[in-house]
Amino acid sequence: MSSRRTFLAGAAAAAAGTAAAAETAAAAAHPAAETAAAADGGSDTRSASRRTVAVLGGGVAGLTAAHELAERGFAVTVYERRALGGKARSMDVPGSARGTRRPLPAEHGFRFIPGIYHNLPDTMRRIPFPGNAHGVWDNLVAPPEMMFARAGGREDLRGPIPWAGDRPAALTPDELRRALTGMLETFVRLPAHEVAYFVNRVLVFLTSCDERRTGVWERTPWWEFTRAARMSYEYQRILAVGITRNIVATKAEEASTRTVGTLGEAFVFNVLGRGADGPPDRILNAPTNEAWIDPWADHLRSLGVEFKVGWTLRELAYEDGRIGHAAVEGPDGAVHRVTADHYVSALPVEHARRTWPAALRAADPMLGRCDRLRTDWMTGIQFYLTQRAPMVHGHVNCVDSPWSLTAIQQAEHWPREEFAARYGDGTVVDCLSVDISEWDAPGILYGKTAKECTREEVAREVWAQLKASLNDTGKTVLSDGRLHSWFLDPGVDGLGTPNPTNEDELLIHPAGTLYDRPSAATRVPNLFLCGDYVAVDIDLATMEGANASARAAVNALLDRDGSAAARCAVFPMFRPPELEDAKRHDRWRYRLGLRNVFDLG
């Protein structure tokens, strides 16, 4: 997800100053002429004109792959164990509806679709939505401001989200230094020498060549790169710990500088009006399923995609140098043999690698390296309010909260009928959606980690930490009297027991793990991988990465199949031409064993 993790990349980049969008490629459908066979549970559904593909997983990666394949004439069946949309979906709070109203909307965590994304917005434009000229993409709205909320009486840092829009700024090192310094001094309010030092570190990364990024910065933790140990508590909390804990759900002492820097770089360019699909901060104007996932599934059905929800992949059977079949457990508990011409594994890595038997791993050692990839907990909880809280009109990062909380009051950004008239029992007016990024630190209410708490204790602890960050300067932002109810992601189970589990962990990026991420094409001729763990241009595990990897997987499948269909457009991260000379100079210095010219140590 997780995409919401990139909110703090945007916030940090905006605090720090925080591929020009290519034309959307036409995705022409072109059925392959060869005969294909697909069997599900032993039933023969042979087609004389279309090649068959089993897409195993119905999250953002799986739906993207199905979308691209169906547009190109393939017969696609998506197998999803739980619900379409995966971690990106919204869900109903059971038993919360009254009368004609819908159930209260809940989610794994708030959706965040920043302007640095290009692949995902391209797909969203191609999903029809009634009344929208640009499909579900028109359901994106831009919150106007953000806040770093401080605890212990410290001043909260609140401000508008900067964006140059159609007035792009120059990106020379001198102009970047001036822009970043000015924004940091205005928003973050650190000591002048720390501002200057951090800006210098940003310039080091921005002008580093690709070889230095992969050879040095990938192996350097962000804490070390930013020299956080030498700096003030404020510097550490905002620019070191705050960024890494909330973006990549890992510790600053571990997080790869290449990962953190790549996202921060993209947000800097976005804020300055370069290489952006839109404003730096964008969310959906309704619950995710209403605004995006349900229209997407409907559109895919219109293209002929078949969905089998409640079907769980157990194993990919490797036979005679290929995937012979997929063993999939159906809703009846029986295991069925699914056969197709091609298989696209679109499961999260922690689930996907369980389905790769020894013979398959031996056929492609890249699969075995995925065992070294690490995941962590980052999970959402929603608080339903009977009165809207006087909060910032956008995201808030509770910088000092032990559980690294980020939040947004959602319904004020939904330009539709009143929340109370549409959802719940008629008394709820808004949903405060909160992400918990740190599950292994003691809280302030019970002194226990989130994993050690019961679900009820987690809710009480998060509420207490929110109030500690928002109510500490004399103004009551959150009051117990406004709290109607709460809902914690059901993917988390066993809290308060010795063995808590999380069905929706997120890939994290400790230094050096880039080299363990696989490509979309495997050595098995009819197996392809997609998901936010697959190596693509955007380094962080996000919905954008899931979408881009699915496009790469489909292109690899088309190549293997000998298809003449148009290849999917895969949009790279923006690279400003003004910095290319500096990067070429740095490549020369790197090959000579010299530091970057801006690197003062």
Side-chain angles (χ1 to χ4, degrees):
M1 232 157 57
S2 160
S3 287
R4 61 200 185 282
R5 288 185 292 183
T6 59
F7 162 63
L8 255 296
T18 303
E23 292 294 324
T24 302
H30 188 97
E34 299 181 29
T35 300
D40 178 14
S43 62
D44 193 345
T45 57
R46 293 178 183 271
S47 167
S49 61
R50 297 202 296 169
R51 303 283 277 171
T52 58
V53 183
V55 175
L56 305 163
V60 171
L63 294 179
T64 302
H67 193 158
E68 300 291 349
L69 288 163
E71 286 188 340
R72 288 158 176 79
F74 286 82
V76 181
T77 303
V78 176
Y79 297 85
E80 164 56 38
R81 67 186 175 92
R82 184 175 54 188
L84 298 179
K87 291 192 288 287
R89 78 195 188 284
S90 57
M91 62 196 89
D92 296 336
V93 177
S96 63
R98 297 291 184 275
T100 60
R101 299 180 190 87
R102 301 181 181 187
L104 291 170
E107 59 199 349
H108 172 68
F110 56 74
R111 300 272 61 74
F112 173 63
I113 303 172
I116 68 170
Y117 290 2
H118 290 285
N119 293 282
L120 188 67
D122 172 64
T123 296
M124 297 178 84
R125 288 184 178 93
R126 291 155 46 204
I127 303 170
F129 193 90
N132 287 359
H134 304 103
V136 302
W137 183 87
D138 284 339
N139 291 336
L140 295 174
V141 294
E145 56 182 350
M146 62 181 180
M147 183 169 75
F148 290 110
R150 309 306 309 275
R154 296 183 181 88
E155 182 182 4
D156 294 333
L157 306 175
R158 174 174 179 167
I161 296 175
W163 185 44
D166 60 358
R167 303 180 304 278
L171 294 182
T172 64
D174 286 344
E175 290 296 328
L176 283 167
R177 187 188 299 276
R178 280 192 285 270
L180 294 173
T181 300
M183 292 183 184
L184 265 177
E185 289 178 341
T186 300
F187 191 80
V188 181
R189 303 171 198 171
L190 292 170
H193 72 280
E194 291 191 345
V195 169
Y197 188 82
F198 185 77
V199 169
N200 176 261
R201 300 310 291 166
V202 172
L203 287 177
V204 169
F205 189 85
L206 293 179
T207 58
S208 287
C209 63
D210 292 341
E211 291 88 343
R212 191 183 299 277
R213 293 185 183 198
T214 56
V216 179
W217 303 140
E218 168 59 23
R219 301 182 185 279
T220 304
W222 181 249
W223 181 272
E224 179 182 330
F225 178 78
T226 58
R227 307 296 192 268
R230 308 177 187 175
M231 302 300 179
S232 67
Y233 175 83
E234 305 295 312
Y235 181 104
Q236 292 172 355
R237 292 305 303 175
I238 296 174
L239 300 179
V241 175
I243 294 175
T244 56
R245 190 69 247 181
N246 289 280
I247 302 175
V248 293
T250 192
K251 297 177 176 60
E253 294 85 353
E254 298 179 345
S256 159
T257 291
R258 182 182 185 274
T259 296
V260 180
T262 297
L263 268 292
E265 172 185 62
F267 275 104
V268 168
F269 299 154
N270 192 174
V271 165
L272 297 177
R274 302 294 296 277
D277 182 79
D281 187 0
R282 298 182 299 187
I283 62 173
L284 291 163
N285 64 1
T288 308
N289 277 23
E290 293 182 35
W292 175 25
I293 301 299
D294 289 346
W296 199 3
D298 290 343
H299 179 58
L300 296 186
R301 289 188 184 98
S302 76
L303 296 176
V305 175
E306 183 179 0
F307 293 109
K308 290 187 174 292
V309 178
W311 294 69
T312 303
L313 175 65
R314 294 305 181 193
E315 184 175 286
L316 288 168
Y318 183 69
E319 301 167 353
D320 299 323
R322 304 171 58 83
I323 301 301
H325 70 273
V328 182
E329 182 179 322
D332 58 358
V335 176
H336 302 258
R337 291 167 61 96
V338 171
T339 62
D341 293 308
H342 300 287
Y343 300 81
V344 177
S345 176
L347 301 177
V349 66
E350 69 274 19
H351 297 294
R353 57 194 175 198
R354 299 171 188 164
T355 69
W356 302 334
L360 180 57
R361 289 165 174 263
D364 191 343
M366 176 181 71
L367 300 177
R369 291 200 300 272
C370 290
D371 290 341
R372 298 198 289 260
L373 295 175
R374 292 170 51 188
T375 57
D376 201 350
W377 289 34
M378 187 176 187
T379 303
I381 183 171
Q382 285 77 53
F383 295 96
Y384 301 98
L385 308 178
T386 58
Q387 183 178 348
R388 186 163 288 163
M391 291 175 58
V392 64
H393 302 296
H395 292 92
V396 57
N397 173 22
C398 299
V399 177
D400 302 307
S401 58
W403 290 1
S404 296
L405 306 179
T406 53
I408 187 169
Q409 201 164 210
Q410 292 182 301
E412 67 170 312
H413 306 285
W414 297 354
R416 300 192 177 186
E417 61 187 283
E418 287 295 320
F419 191 99
R422 190 175 180 86
Y423 304 102
D425 61 5
T427 65
V428 176
V429 301
D430 212 329
C431 171
L432 179 60
S433 187
V434 185
D435 285 336
I436 307 168
S437 299
E438 172 58 81
W439 285 76
D440 295 306
I444 63 174
L445 197 60
Y446 299 104
K448 297 191 292 187
T449 71
K451 292 176 182 176
E452 293 171 333
C453 290
T454 65
R455 297 179 74 85
E456 181 76 27
E457 288 172 339
V458 167
R460 291 176 179 173
E461 179 71 54
V462 172
W463 187 250
Q465 291 187 30
L466 289 170
K467 291 195 294 183
S469 293
L470 297 170
N471 293 357
D472 61 319
T473 55
K475 181 180 179 181
T476 301
V477 176
L478 296 179
S479 66
D480 295 343
R482 292 174 178 164
L483 180 59
H484 174 278
S485 55
W486 55 268
F487 183 83
L488 178 62
D489 187 343
V492 173
D493 196 15
L495 292 177
T497 74
N499 299 298
T501 60
N502 188 343
E503 285 292 301
D504 297 298
E505 296 190 22
L506 295 176
L507 183 73
I508 61 174
H509 302 266
T513 54
L514 172 69
Y515 310 104
D516 297 323
R517 296 177 67 175
S519 62
T522 74
R523 294 185 183 181
V524 180
N526 63 340
L527 174 63
F528 309 89
L529 307 179
C530 61
D532 60 12
Y533 68 100
V534 174
V536 290
D537 201 43
I538 188 168
D539 191 33
L540 185 69
T542 57
M543 293 189 297
E544 173 77 350
N547 186 281
S549 69
R551 292 166 179 249
V554 170
N555 286 345
L557 186 154
L558 295 174
D559 291 343
R560 294 267 178 88
D561 203 62
S563 172
R567 273 29 180 187
C568 308
V570 182
F571 300 91
M573 299 288 282
F574 174 66
R575 294 179 66 105
E578 299 97 318
L579 295 181
E580 290 304 307
D581 283 344
K583 291 180 180 179
R584 281 191 289 271
H585 179 69
D586 188 59
R587 184 175 298 110
W588 171 78
R589 293 180 62 87
Y590 178 74
R591 290 171 178 173
L592 290 176
L594 302 174
R595 289 180 173 180
N596 178 279
V597 70
F598 292 103
D599 195 346
L600 305 178

